[in-house]
Amino acid sequence: GTTLGSAAARTGRYFGTAVSASKLSDSVYTGILSREFSMITPENEMKIDATEPSQGQFSYANADRIVSQAASQGARMRGHTLAWYSQQPGWMQSMEGSALRQAMLNHITQVASHYRGKIYAWDVVNEAFADGGSGARRDSNLQRTGDDWIEVAFRAARSADPDAKLCYNDYNTDDWNQAKTQAVYRMVQDFKSRGVPIDCVGFQSHFNSNSPVPSNYRTTLQNFADLGVDVQITELDVEGSGTAQANNFRTVTQACTAVARCTGMTTWGIRDTDSWRASATPLLFDGNGQKKEAYTAVLDTL
Ligand code: XIL
């Protein structure tokens, strides 16, 4: 029978999932993982607090386990994430100014170099823009080092791993008419016009009743693609159940397959019970690992 990965591959796309190293000993989990998915994002293991728990002391064991799993099943890797305001180790949370800027650049250089040649795309910078109507950058210790922190992060990542695609990744950037979406769009437009190395934009796509799939989602993906970047759906989950949930997953899948430069999509976990928002039952497999109606909707749409 066909699978999400093989169905996506018919149009040159991938189908991915977030993976936790701690679940790689669960044979139901790894069975679905190796059968269905052609791209893997570590759910937490490549974040700053995981890879540099003490300044200058790098810790790759859990992320390396996931990279090995990907290699053993012939899947590629999305790296997540090199620079983010959240999940910083304590030592970084208390830093500021030029010392923090230098620590961020060293982190990017070390981690991207460790994985050089093994990562299809890196989420170089995650969630740098504010929610709401301001269109401003999100306040953070990284932002306070100067507005250019994002572009210097991308340049450092390019130097360390020249063959990886370099993505900007965020949430609430799905609705074309939102200030946050417009602000990210203008940043990407500016980067492309000035030669800052950016190859892709990731749309996390965590959908629920407060944040539903917008009717212009496909337009948003197309407009970003028209700037000359790939677009990817990077952390998809949709609260709900049954046919309503399946229809939302179908809409998202149709949006990606309608956009030539939408190169793939990733769900943020495998079974509902693996989700960071398990009570929302937002994924394609139930807690027993059985395919949900949403699974069939996605498979039939790819
Ligand atoms: C989440 C993980 O799923 C959780 O296990 C962790 O406790 C917090 O982070 N946006 C992102 C992801 O970019 O890294 C987040 O992952 C979900 C929201």
Side-chain angles (χ1 to χ4, degrees):
T2 188
T3 65
L4 298 168
S6 62
R10 290 196 300 256
T11 60
R13 294 181 170 87
Y14 65 81
F15 203 99
T17 183
V19 162
S20 290
S22 64
K23 293 175 184 159
L24 291 174
S25 54
D26 174 340
S27 61
V28 175
Y29 183 85
T30 54
I32 302 169
L33 173 60
S34 57
R35 184 183 77 223
E36 298 283 346
F37 295 99
S38 56
M39 187 73 73
I40 292 177
T41 307
E43 187 169 357
N44 291 295
E45 292 81 350
M46 285 189 183
K47 292 174 180 174
I48 312 172
D49 59 354
T51 51
E52 196 177 357
S54 305
Q55 188 172 12
Q57 308 254 305
F58 291 85
S59 165
Y60 297 118
N62 287 327
D64 286 353
R65 277 187 199 106
I66 298 176
V67 173
S68 299
Q69 170 66 33
S72 76
Q73 67 177 78
R76 291 179 291 171
M77 290 290 304
R78 294 191 83 267
H80 176 79
T81 177
L82 295 169
W84 190 20
Y85 79 89
S86 184
Q87 290 182 269
Q88 292 183 2
W91 63 265
M92 184 179 275
Q93 291 177 34
S94 60
M95 287 184 86
E96 61 182 12
S98 57
L100 173 60
R101 175 66 67 93
Q102 195 48 48
M104 176 193 82
L105 289 171
N106 183 58
H107 180 83
I108 293 169
T109 300
Q110 294 296 323
V111 177
S113 297
H114 179 80
Y115 290 110
R116 178 167 46 231
K118 296 181 175 172
I119 303 292
Y120 163 71
W122 264 112
D123 291 332
V124 178
V125 171
N126 196 33
E127 300 181 349
F129 283 81
D131 293 314
S134 69
R137 296 285 184 83
R138 176 193 293 276
D139 181 53
S140 71
N141 60 346
L142 292 170
Q143 177 60 34
R144 290 190 293 269
T145 69
D147 239 20
D148 62 343
W149 73 278
I150 300 180
E151 64 190 81
V152 302
F154 275 83
R155 291 189 199 281
R158 181 69 98 219
S159 297
D161 188 354
D163 294 331
K165 290 186 184 291
L166 304 183
C167 301
Y168 176 77
N169 192 56
D170 214 329
Y171 68 92
N172 280 352
T173 49
D174 316 292
D175 184 336
W176 180 244
N177 297 318
Q178 288 294 317
K180 187 173 176 180
T181 308
Q182 295 291 317
V184 174
Y185 180 85
R186 284 192 301 273
M187 180 188 73
V188 176
Q189 190 174 46
D190 171 57
F191 281 12
K192 293 299 286 184
S193 74
R194 291 190 297 111
V196 178
I198 184 167
D199 305 303
C200 39
V201 175
F203 296 81
Q204 291 184 10
S205 307
H206 297 292
F207 295 120
N208 54 54
S209 48
N210 295 323
S211 172
V213 185
S215 58
N216 57 23
Y217 186 58
R218 172 182 160 182
T219 300
T220 302
L221 297 180
Q222 186 65 60
N223 287 347
F224 274 88
D226 288 345
L227 292 175
V229 289
D230 291 344
V231 295
Q232 299 166 359
I233 297 167
T234 52
E235 305 182 13
L236 178 62
D237 51 22
V238 185
E239 179 180 36
S241 62
T243 303
Q245 180 181 51
N247 286 341
N248 281 317
F249 270 103
R250 182 182 295 106
T251 300
V252 171
T253 308
Q254 278 168 343
C256 183
T257 58
V259 174
R261 291 196 74 158
C262 183
T263 57
M265 43 198 290
T266 293
T267 56
W268 204 240
I270 298 178
R271 301 163 299 196
D272 286 336
T273 45
D274 300 316
S275 171
W276 69 313
R277 290 174 169 171
S279 65
T281 62
L283 294 171
L284 300 180
F285 296 86
D286 70 17
N288 296 319
Q290 298 299 310
K291 297 168 182 174
K292 294 167 60 182
E293 188 173 339
Y295 171 95
T296 308
V298 170
L299 185 71
D300 292 350
T301 307
L302 284 168

